[in-house]
Amino acid sequence: MWLIARRSFAQDWARLTATMLAVLFSVGLMSGALQFALRAEASVSGSDASEYARVDVLVQPRGADPDDVFSVPQGEVRPGAIASVPGVAAVAGDASVPVTIVGAHGKPVTPPAGAATALRPWIPDARLSAYHLVSGRAPAADDEVAVVRHVARAGGLHAGSATTLLLPNSTQRVRVVGVVTVRGRGAVASGDLILGTPTAVHRAAGLRPGTWQGLWVKAAPGVTAAALRARLVPVMRPAVVRKASDVRHRQSAELQGAGASVGGAIGMLASVAVFTGLFVVANAFGTLVRQRTRRLALLSAIGARPRQIKRLVRFEALVLEVVASAGGLVAGYGVSEVLTRLFAQDGFDISAGEVQVGWVALAFPFAAGVVTTQLAAWRPARRAARRAARIAPIEALRSSTAEGRGRVWPRLVGALAIFGASWMFFGPVFAVANDKTEVGIDRTIGIVVLILMGSMVCVSGLAVLAPFFVGPLGGLVGRLGMLVSGESGRLARATITRSPRRVSSAAASLMLGVALVAATGLLITSVHQRGAEAGAQTLAADHVIATNSRTSDGAAPLPGDTAARVARVPGVTSAVALTRTEVQLVSPKTKVVDGDPGDPVFLNVTGASDVRPVLRFGGYLPALRPGEIGVASPLVKAYHLWPGRRIVVHGARGNVTLTVAGRYHDPSHVFADQALVAPATMAMLDPRATTSAVLVRGTASTRALAAAVADVPVARVYDPAAYVRVAVASMEKGLRVVYGFIGMSLVISLFGMATTMSLSVFERTREFGMLGAVGTTVRQIRSMVRWEAATVVLLGVLLGMATAVGTVALLHVATGSSYIRVHLPWWLLAVVVGGAAAVTWATSALPARRAAGVPVLEAAKAE
């Protein structure tokens, strides 16, 4: 068998190389997806270095949330007599101010995935400070800062660079004088750090003289952290005194949980790559083995047992997959880098995580490629052995292009089993749709991911049923071919209906590609079309001032004084700033199910003054007074937040009691998607709430408005239509992750289709040669191939478009979102059909030309 395998490789290297490339790209996509998942997890759970590494005890204001170690403590503490407490070796004040730093490229530096950027004071005492300078020096003036290494790399900054800080209430020009690491890492658990002088940070935090948001305390030699904490509790009461090690451990635990969640989410999306690879490789191997039926039958005729034939096919597959998997590992690093750059543009930056080169990153994709290819080759090998054993020796010497009809029931049962397996994804959709803790875009994204995965499984079921559709479609195309091409059309009809599995194999990969493209296109066009309609319906402002960049929390914030600047511009009659924060709903509590209260409910709250001049909301919402909140209609129904009801929310300053003043509806889901409060109420909830946009009414020119915010590098003045486009694009933040994996899976599916189509044409070299011997011209042979390709296009497009339309219809029903509608624009259908036809004919034309030009004697020797 080894000698036979060697000869097969020597004779069929062209066909085997095409199959090997299909495997290589599939493994490359799997490897890249795994690399991205590991790097994303490392960027979250691997950046667990803590600024508290050398601190023994932390003193924080009363009301500090022990369950949220990443929250900024609200309130103030005074060092008082803490330095005189026995066992205290050193004390330093701490404060944290949310900040956005602009990189050398003029765009905000995105912090590591899921983290934030904070302005913190430089701690000069080496007994407390974990900051290690790798270049430059410590900040000495109020306009000097040091940055962590991740900021320096991501923003293209170095010692001596001048940049801008976007603070909650102002902008500040600063100079980077140093780059630091913490325990050898370029970021800390909470994200990126900008380190300024204590005086500058104290002023930016708005603290009273002699107070800080927290205190770092170092124990004297021989004094444990627990003992020092016990001594400080009565002295610092009512402040909260904690061991720093407890905070560090809690940070590490939360990051590990977040890393596992990120890895799980990316792993689910990466399974699209595994599915695509299995689908493509199975098709390629099925075609490759089918066209060798004659050779395998001859081996059976001279004594080869079915077990040996299966072993031969699997051995050839093993050699291919080992070589292809090794190449796929290399290609995977390129795929991972593309994904990393793509998602960084969407605010999901994982560059803080190092490129993974461990055994998991290398062995798992390699093993996955081997196992995937073996699974893909198992069924063709089994079928080839069974078919070779049934063919009589004299029959083995004849052409093997004709196919038996095969049994219908096994194919139907297999398809039904696959459709049933799709409910592994469709089933959880009901749980997500009925989850009261998920409202808005997060719930929609979860449903979209599950339904897309289930639909891809259904594609496999349709591929199993595809041969049943070949006969009717082939007859239809053949009749059309007879009208147009005469004898060539008749021959094409005969070959199509005689070999349904060959046509369906090529159409299956095309169907997957069409389903991916059409479903994605339908989603995008639906979101954009509805977003434009709803935005025009809601926005009444003449201009919108917002940033043109994104961070991990969404759009980069504007300084808090932007609205005041704009209001001074001549011609401006109204300038409304939209501020954002997130609060937890404390009361009313969510319904307890089986003793489980469920996850906490968080609300996205928008703060604004009177929005009636600039926004048109549905429902009834009176002018909001301090202590009142307007609630979006979906939340009213989900949590029974009826007008007049008193609720309790937990904000940055603790619990706040509010009264529901009314219900409204933001059809755009952009400006105030869940809740709306007055600026005074927002100050109670979160005095550092970031400004997302400023809505402007009046006759002021764009040039005058731009001049008012000229010192904010990322600020832009938009007209209403342009801002709506930007805002709608921001809603695709989570979906772009899906689109990235689907796009790369599309490349693999198209490559698999090209491979399968080329192999199917090459398989018929003997048939084309014989047709040439009886007088068929090269032109007629090419026409036959084109009509067969038309059948492939028709079958792939019909099944693919049916899958895409069904997927979007199911998404519309499951999500209930007006942004997801079944609307098939003519241009999308034209693009899909034209692209499918171009790819199909391009991949079949060259092999057909070569096969048609083969001399008769050589064609007679072909398999």
Side-chain angles (χ1 to χ4, degrees), residues 725-746:
R725 288 194 296 269
V726 172
V728 171
S730 68
M731 297 175 63
E732 300 175 8
K733 176 182 177 182
L735 294 179
R736 288 183 184 178
V737 180
V738 181
Y739 296 157
F741 280 99
I742 287 179
M744 293 194 175
S745 299
L746 171 64

Side-chain angles (χ1 to χ4, degrees), residues 736-823:
R736 288 183 184 178
V737 180
V738 181
Y739 296 157
F741 280 99
I742 287 179
M744 293 194 175
S745 299
L746 171 64
V747 174
I748 304 302
S749 66
L750 291 179
F751 187 88
M753 189 213 68
T755 302
T756 305
M757 194 68 188
S758 299
L759 289 174
S760 66
V761 175
F762 190 78
E763 173 187 3
R764 300 163 62 194
T765 300
R766 176 186 176 92
E767 177 184 338
F768 291 150
M770 293 305 174
L771 287 173
V774 297
T776 306
T777 65
V778 173
R779 183 177 180 180
Q780 288 177 315
I781 292 176
R782 293 179 185 174
S783 179
M784 287 173 53
V785 173
R786 285 195 293 268
W787 284 113
E788 185 171 334
T791 306
V792 172
V793 171
L794 185 61
L795 180 60
V797 169
L798 286 178
L799 295 181
M801 291 300 297
T803 302
V805 172
T807 299
V808 176
L810 188 57
L811 285 172
H812 174 71
V813 173
T815 62
S817 173
S818 62
Y819 277 76
I820 301 177
R821 299 178 295 184
V822 182
H823 173 69

Side-chain angles (χ1 to χ4, degrees), residues 13 103 111 197 213 234 306 309 327 382 408 420 441 487 611 616 637 677 693 707 755 763 827:
W13 65 269
T197 62
Q213 289 178 349
I309 293 176
R382 182 170 175 268
V408 174
I441 190 65
E487 186 64 20
V611 298
R616 293 183 288 261
K637 298 177 182 178
V677 297
T755 302
E763 173 187 3
W827 60 264

